[in-house]
Amino acid sequence: FLKTFERSVGNEGGFQNDRNDRGNWTSGKIGVGELKGTKQGISAMTYPDLDIINLTDCEIKDIYYRDWWVKLGMDRFRPAIAYQMFDAAINHGMSNASKMLQRAASVADDGIIGPITLGAIKDIEINDLLLRFLAYRLSFFTDISTFDRYGRGWSRRISHNLILASHDN
């Protein structure tokens, strides 16, 4: 968890309060609700009741472990895909990340990681799984309406994750 956490937090960066980013609003809609921002990936959209700007590193780590690592059952995955899945879940949401993993494993993309998906990801060669998964992530980004605004940073994230995948495989 700690290695994965450090990598993902490194992708997310510090506090930001971009009015044009829906994740910074408590409602998840630009201009609706309270603008609280995002800190190391912990967003007002996902955690509207938290004081985002004043979250400590320890609190952020606890949130990621409890609400993301454990909830996603990350111990079920090979380490090389665990980081990629965790990073995608933080960036795109758990359901979207699960569907991307399922597409990469060539199983039905219902967003539920069960025995069929787990069997498929164990049977596929890890490099193929990593490359397919990251390709689905990049494709997902290009379909987001704010790609023109944030796409360069998102593309850098995938580039960085490809390099990490080459070390992890």
Side-chain angles (χ1 to χ4, degrees), residues 3-4 7 69 74-88 101 121 124-131 133-134 137 160-169:
K3 182 177 180 180
T4 297
R7 285 177 170 182
W69 185 266
M74 295 308 298
D75 291 330
R76 304 177 292 174
F77 304 113
R78 291 180 275 182
I81 198 65
Y83 163 70
Q84 301 293 340
M85 179 64 178
F86 188 77
D87 188 67
L101 181 63
I121 65 173
I124 193 169
E125 202 279 320
I126 191 65
N127 289 324
D128 292 341
L129 184 63
L130 289 166
L131 288 171
F133 183 74
L134 288 164
R137 282 193 72 186
H160 178 71
N161 282 0
L162 281 164
I163 292 166
L164 291 175
S166 75
H167 293 288
D168 292 345
N169 68 356

Side-chain angles (χ1 to χ4, degrees), residues 143-158:
D143 290 334
I144 298 174
S145 64
T146 54
F147 185 79
D148 289 345
R149 182 178 188 88
Y150 302 112
R152 181 179 293 182
W154 295 338
S155 297
R156 284 188 184 125
R157 185 178 190 141
I158 296 299

Side-chain angles (χ1 to χ4, degrees), residues 28 31 37 42 48 57 60 63 76 87-88 108 110 116 120 122 131-132 136 141 167 169:
I42 303 298
D57 290 344
I60 290 168
I63 290 168
R76 304 177 292 174
D87 188 67
D110 61 4
I116 293 171
K122 283 182 184 175
L131 288 171
R132 290 177 192 170
Y136 281 114
F141 281 132
H167 293 288
N169 68 356

Side-chain angles (χ1 to χ4, degrees), residues 18-30 45 150:
D18 181 350
R19 301 183 73 75
N20 296 307
D21 183 340
R22 70 185 190 97
N24 293 330
W25 293 88
T26 55
S27 68
K29 296 178 184 171
I30 295 171
M45 178 175 73
Y150 302 112

Side-chain angles (χ1 to χ4, degrees), residues 68-125:
W68 299 87
W69 185 266
V70 172
K71 191 169 184 176
L72 282 164
M74 295 308 298
D75 291 330
R76 304 177 292 174
F77 304 113
R78 291 180 275 182
I81 198 65
Y83 163 70
Q84 301 293 340
M85 179 64 178
F86 188 77
D87 188 67
I90 290 165
N91 198 216
H92 310 299
M94 290 182 206
S95 179
N96 285 324
S98 296
K99 289 176 183 178
M100 289 175 208
L101 181 63
Q102 290 172 317
R103 288 181 207 126
S106 300
V107 298
D109 61 346
D110 61 4
I112 300 168
I113 305 295
I116 293 171
T117 302
L118 292 172
I121 65 173
K122 283 182 184 175
D123 290 343
I124 193 169
E125 202 279 320

